[in-house]
Amino acid sequence: MAFVQGGAFTLGEKRPSAGTVVAVTGFCLDLTEVTVGAYRECVASGACQTGGLICAATSSSWKWGGERTALNCIDYVDSAAYCAFAKKRLPAEDEWEWAARGGFS
């Protein structure tokens, strides 16, 4: 995980005349995606489900990926369940956009 320093920015648009200015307090964010292996641990514990992980015959990491492959085809509910299992949380929309824009300190 990395600490993302807080700051203020215009949510949704890079142009100052559009969108809403929001302030984000500092938070931590994982540096890598959740792997198939990490999610398998969650499933084995009973905290996570697998029913929605097959999105297409050739694109689901759950079906075709190795343990170190980034997990895909996961919805919000299953993502939140994994985060609870890992004692973490999903970032809020403004946190995610701030980090995606380079808000790292």
Side-chain angles (χ1 to χ4, degrees):
M1 294 189 89
F3 181 72
V4 180
Q5 186 69 39
F9 71 106
T10 303
L11 183 66
E13 293 288 334
K14 290 185 178 182
R15 292 171 284 143
S17 62
T20 302
V21 175
V22 295
V24 176
T25 58
F27 62 99
C28 290
L29 188 67
D30 279 348
L31 293 173
T32 60
E33 298 88 355
V34 174
T35 63
V36 169
Y39 196 79
R40 283 191 200 281
E41 290 177 24
C42 186
V43 170
S45 78
C48 292
Q49 304 296 313
T50 62
L53 293 177
I54 307 299
C55 60
T58 60
S59 66
S60 177
S61 60
W62 184 255
K63 186 174 181 181
W64 302 109
E67 295 298 295
R68 298 179 75 190
T69 303
L71 185 68
N72 64 11
C73 300
I74 186 168
D75 64 16
Y76 178 87
V77 172
D78 291 336
S79 296
Y82 176 80
C83 286
F85 167 77
K87 297 184 178 23
K88 299 177 182 182
R89 67 173 177 84
L90 291 169
E93 178 184 3
D94 54 348
E95 292 171 333
W96 180 252
E97 186 170 336
W98 174 248
R101 288 175 180 235
F104 285 97
S105 59

